[in-house]
Structures are given as C-alpha cells and as structure tokens.
Amino acid sequence: MTMKEKVFKRVFLVVIDSFGVGAEPDWAEYGDDPSLNTALHVIDDRPAPSFLWSRGLGYLLKEEPIKQPSVVAKLQELSKGKDSTTGHWEIAGLVMTTPFPTYPHGFPPEVMEEFERRIGTKTLGNFPASGTEIIKQLGEEHMRTGYPIVYTSADSVFQIAAHEDVIPVEDLYRMCEIARELLTGDHAVARVIARPFAGKPGEFYRTPRRRDFSLPPLGHTILDELVEKGIPVVAVGKIHDLFAGRGISQSVHTENDAEGIKALQELSKTFQQRGLVFANLVDSDMIYGHRRNVEGYYQNIMMIDEGLSLLYDNLTNEDLLIVTADHGNDPTFPKHTDHTREYVSFIACSPSFTEGSFLGTLRGYVHIAQTVIEALGVESARKWGRTLLKEDV
Ligand SMILES: O=P(O)(O)O[C@H]1O[C@H](CO)[C@@H](O)[C@H]1O
Ligand SMILES: [Mn+2]
Ligand SMILES: [Mn+2]
C-alpha cells in the first residue's frame, strides 16, 4: 500500500514560525531580496537537523536525497502578505487576496486620537520599529510618563509595549482589546499584539506574556469545517490567537518552543481521538528571526528537530505528521528586521509511509488544508486545494 490512499486517525500539523526555504518570485513587492533563504542561512555549514533533513529539508535546500519515507513539496503563498495571520489562514484554506492594511508611517490621527481617548492616556511612538529597539529608545520615557508605547512593522500589526510595573499586564490586555475594537473597516489590522516587558533602563527584557489579538478569519477554514463536523481541533501555542479561538476545540497555551514540543509529545500519548493537533512554534521568529540572531535560530531549530524526532517515535501507522512554516524571517538579512517573503516546506511523514517523494513547487499553502481534510477522511463540500497525498490529482 502506498501512502496515497490512506486515511489517518490523527494529523499533527506543526508550523515552525518563519522557517522559510527561499525567496518567492514576488520578493521585490515586500522589500526583500532574491538571495533570501531562512532555513539555508540558519543551517549554513553547521550540522543539519537530521530528522527534518532526511525527510526532505535536505532536498529542498541542497537537493540531497530524501533518505526517510516522506512526501515533500515547496509551497508558494497565494495570499498578499508575509505575516503570521495571513500564512496560517492560508494553511487552513483561506486565501487573503487583498492585503491587510499596513502603516509604514504610523497610524493616522483619527485612529490614535480615538485610541488615546478610549484608554484615557497619551501614547508614545506610533512608528514602525523593532520591538526590542523601541523599548530601548522609549522605555525610560514610558516609565516616567506612564504612556504605553505603540508601534508597528511591515506587517499589519498594532503593537502596544508596556513595562509590567507601569501598566499591569491585565491592563495592557484591556488596552489591546480596546484597540482591537476600534481597528475595523479600512483600519482592520490583522493583529493587535500585547508586548509586556520588565527590567531596568538599559536592561529591559520582554516577558513571555505576549498575546495576539487577531481578527477572526475573514472566511471559512478547515478548522471551522472540522469542528462543525465534530472532529476535534487541538491548538498548541499561538494557533488559538491567530484564529481568534474560532474552529478550535481545545487550546494548549505554551510560553516557549520547548513547552510547545513537550505539549506535542504529551498529546501524542494522551490525545487518542480522530482529529487535528495544530501547533505553532514561535521562538524561531520572535526571539531569533526578528533579532537577526542566526546562532540562536539554529540552536532553536536543532531543539525542535530533536523534539519532532521523539514525537515521531510515539506515532503509529494511523498518524500523519506535517511540518511547514508560514513565511520567512532570514536572520542574515541586514536591510530590515521584518519577515521575508519566502516559499515554505511541506514535509509529511508517517510510520505507514514506505517511500520518499518530492512533488515539486506548488502554488498555494491551501494544499495543506486539502491534505489534512482528506487525511482525516472528511467528505468536504469544498475543494480547498489539491491533496498532496495522492499522485493522480
Ligand atoms: O519586533 P517585534 O516586536 O518582535 O515584532 C515583530 O513581531 C510581529 C509579529 O510577528 C512582526 O510584525 C514584527 O513587528
Ligand atoms: Mn509567523
Ligand atoms: Mn514575526
């Protein structure tokens, strides 16, 4: 039996945030560069992450043979955007043809005046910045005035940074909820993000209680379809936030990728129903990618790779593991600290697979959605994309 006709009991869908595999053709529209390749530049000539490398990452990056049974593809994003929300929604079957609004010059007066009126205080910043840089720059003034720091980036994000001793995290979350409520219509940004920090001036550090307040998906996704059909969707890490909790049966909050990997390993033992476990591992992007920290990014990938290998040991012939990403964030790129417009990997493996195959470069993360729906044996009225586990489509 080849891998092509099988229905699985469980699908583990793991997004390694920002782990792109090479610049997409429309890189210039995103201020990027054709040479970008997050995974290739992170691994470089260091020892390869063996679990992923032998199942297709080596092929995608250096055309090395696929040594372990797997189905491999390189996927090009259809949606206009290189942010997490856009990428994850397309993985779940929803293509954003109109990009979310972005604010290269900061948010307009009508937004900021209304926001300040609603939160009852002035704000600082209101321009695109690296989140760690802007708290270095404005953290002391924030502590002196009590004004929260607002900033954005190349993505459609309204970010609020505040010191936990100046604005308690719960109050910061309240401010984010207010921003979320007023950022609608032409100013419906994809995400409002709470960025709590602590420490003394010159030694500020961000605390793990970041929280994303995403728009609910602007259309149907396979998560909605699975939950409507009574098939559980267990969200690990940022997935709950990225889908605003919709189409999710259970959510496992994690504070870092080590916890994310542990949660996946735990679920491989405890989650015994037919269903989807959908995980986001964010540290590669948040702690290393945006900070242009190549060595840290590499160590994180090696930790994830080891963790996926141990997860895989717990899987049976009834299980399918898919590893992918949502965009790039090449830490060797000096021109900005934003995401980079890149292809993502599709690496699917199961103990029931008997061969390794590369399907080519395909347009659309939506094929992941179709693959998940068919892998779980769900008769869907919709065609989300083409399944990547059948040759004859
Ligand atoms: O620089 P920090 O605060 O990490 O923010 C980054 O995180 C956001 C979400 O990925 C990106 O849009 C970028 O602004
Ligand atoms: Mn992301
Ligand atoms: Mn990011």
Side-chain angles (χ1 to χ4, degrees):
M1 180 271 307
T2 72
M3 65 186 80
K4 314 295 179 199
E5 294 79 39
K6 188 166 173 39
V7 171
F8 298 87
K9 180 179 168 192
R10 301 183 302 180
V11 174
F12 292 81
L13 174 57
V14 179
V15 175
I16 302 177
D17 206 297
S18 86
F19 199 47
V21 289
E24 289 193 318
D26 59 358
W27 55 267
E29 293 171 37
Y30 296 87
D32 293 337
D33 186 282
S35 66
L36 294 179
N37 188 322
T38 301
L40 185 68
H41 296 154
V42 162
I43 297 164
D44 196 13
D45 54 7
R46 299 175 179 86
S50 55
F51 178 81
L52 290 170
W53 198 263
S54 59
R55 285 169 179 77
L57 188 61
Y59 183 84
L60 289 172
L61 298 180
K62 297 189 174 174
E63 302 209 342
E64 288 185 14
I66 300 172
K67 294 207 176 84
Q68 296 293 336
S70 62
V71 177
V72 186
K74 188 155 95 165
L75 301 181
Q76 184 179 352
E77 188 167 12
L78 296 173
S79 302
K80 292 287 170 215
K82 55 177 181 178
D83 61 280
S84 295
T85 303
T86 306
H88 282 78
W89 288 7
E90 185 168 325
I91 287 169
L94 174 60
V95 179
M96 292 297 296
T97 41
T98 36
F100 287 111
T102 55
Y103 297 87
H105 308 294
F107 296 93
E110 70 265 23
V111 167
M112 294 313 294
E113 281 157 19
E114 174 58 12
F115 178 61
E116 291 179 348
R117 188 185 68 76
R118 294 274 300 271
I119 64 172
T121 169
K122 294 181 69 53
T123 59
L124 299 173
N126 188 23
F127 49 80
S130 149
T132 45
E133 288 308 310
I134 199 168
I135 59 177
K136 277 187 205 147
Q137 196 184 335
L138 297 177
E140 275 186 81
E141 188 180 354
H142 158 69
M143 295 191 84
R144 211 174 39 255
T145 61
Y147 299 159
I149 299 167
V150 171
Y151 69 101
T152 186
S153 71
D155 293 328
S156 180
V157 287
F158 184 100
Q159 307 201 71
I160 312 175
H163 195 291
E164 295 198 4
D165 296 347
V166 176
I167 297 178
V169 177
E170 289 313 317
D171 294 349
L172 173 59
Y173 290 161
R174 183 77 203 109
M175 289 181 177
C176 290
E177 284 162 355
I178 290 170
R180 183 68 281 170
E181 277 158 33
L182 61 88
L183 289 164
T184 56
D186 294 344
H187 297 304
V189 291
R191 248 180 318 169
V192 174
I193 305 181
R195 294 288 190 171
F197 66 94
K200 303 198 298 288
E203 296 162 26
F204 291 135
Y205 59 91
R206 299 210 288 193
T207 61
R209 291 195 285 184
R210 159 192 177 158
R211 219 170 105 189
D212 294 32
F213 298 76
S214 263
L215 283 175
L218 301 181
H220 216 53
T221 73
I222 58 162
L223 306 191
D224 297 316
E225 176 147 5
L226 289 171
V227 167
E228 280 157 17
K229 291 193 161 120
I231 298 171
V233 175
V234 181
V236 177
K238 239 175 44 172
I239 298 293
H240 180 275
D241 289 354
L242 289 167
F243 289 86
R246 209 182 77 196
I248 286 164
S249 328
Q250 180 197 340
S251 178
V252 179
H253 176 71
T254 55
E255 296 214 340
N256 54 50
D257 288 359
E259 282 191 15
I261 285 287
K262 223 163 45 231
L264 281 163
Q265 291 164 351
E266 259 315 290
L267 284 161
S268 68
K269 289 179 250 174
T270 58
F271 178 68
Q272 293 304 341
Q273 297 165 275
R274 172 182 171 225
L276 170 64
V277 175
F278 190 4
N280 169 277
L281 301 173
V282 69
D283 293 355
S284 298
D285 174 75
M286 178 174 73
I287 301 178
Y288 306 110
H290 285 296
R291 311 290 73 93
R292 298 301 186 244
N293 176 347
V294 182
E295 187 54 34
Y297 200 129
Y298 171 74
Q299 294 304 336
N300 199 56
I301 289 297
M302 294 304 277
M303 181 277 291
I304 290 172
D305 189 72
E306 169 64 23
L308 290 175
S309 176
L310 294 174
L311 165 66
Y312 190 72
D313 291 345
N314 297 342
L315 302 189
T316 73
N317 284 354
E318 303 307 304
D319 296 323
L320 176 67
L321 170 64
I322 297 173
V323 181
T324 187
D326 53 344
H327 50 76
N329 200 340
D330 190 331
T332 66
F333 189 46
K335 210 176 122 201
H336 58 58
T337 63
D338 289 315
H339 300 153
T340 46
R341 180 76 168 169
E342 294 184 41
Y343 293 101
V344 299
S345 63
F346 171 88
I347 296 175
C349 49
S350 168
S352 62
F353 285 4
T354 54
E355 60 198 14
S357 61
F358 175 61
L359 302 179
T361 299
L362 305 169
R363 279 177 53 73
Y365 297 175
V366 292
H367 304 310
I368 298 175
Q370 187 67 28
T371 301
V372 169
I373 281 283
E374 293 201 23
L376 289 171
V378 172
E379 290 298 319
S380 173
R382 286 184 60 145
K383 195 133 182 55
W384 301 91
R386 55 153 285 192
T387 177
L388 301 177
L389 296 185
K390 278 200 182 78
E391 275 155 339
D392 53 357
V393 172

